[in-house]
Amino acid sequence: MTQQERFNHLVNFTIDELTTYLIEDYHLDTAEALNIVYSSKTLELLQNKRTGLYDQSPGYVYHLLKHEYKTGQLPQVN
C-alpha cells in the first residue's frame, strides 16, 4: 500500500466512523450526518496531510467534530 493509499484509507475510515458516531449520538439519518461531516472544518483538517489529524483515532477526531457541531467552532488546541 502506498502512502497515498494509506492516507486515503485512513481518511475514508474516519469519515465512516464520524458518520456512525453522529447517527448514534444525535439520532440523525445518514444524509444528515454526512452533511455535517462534509461541511465541517474538522474534515478540512482531516484531509490536510500537514495536520497529521488523519493519523489520530476516529474517537479523537470525533471529539473535535462534536465540539464544532455543538458550538460552531473547533476547540482551542494548545
Side-chain angles (χ1 to χ4, degrees):
M1 180 180 286
T2 68
Q3 281 189 288
Q4 184 62 43
E5 289 170 333
R6 179 179 180 275
F7 172 78
N8 291 340
H9 173 75
L10 291 172
V11 168
N12 290 332
F13 175 75
T14 301
I15 290 169
D16 289 347
E17 291 295 298
L18 296 176
T19 304
T20 300
Y21 295 155
L22 285 170
I23 290 167
E24 291 173 356
D25 288 353
Y26 296 100
H27 309 289
L28 304 173
D29 64 36
T30 302
E32 291 172 311
L34 284 169
N35 185 49
I36 291 166
V37 172
Y38 279 102
S39 63
S40 71
K41 296 268 189 226
T42 302
L43 182 64
E44 288 179 32
L45 293 174
L46 179 65
Q47 292 175 322
N48 183 337
K49 286 183 182 180
R50 291 178 297 174
T51 68
L53 192 57
Y54 68 92
D55 224 8
Q56 300 297 317
S57 73
Y60 177 78
V61 179
Y62 182 62
H63 170 76
L64 300 176
L65 179 65
K66 188 161 81 169
H67 187 277
E68 181 183 357
Y69 177 62
K70 290 164 80 175
T71 68
Q73 300 176 16
L74 290 169
Q76 293 286 30
V77 178
N78 294 330

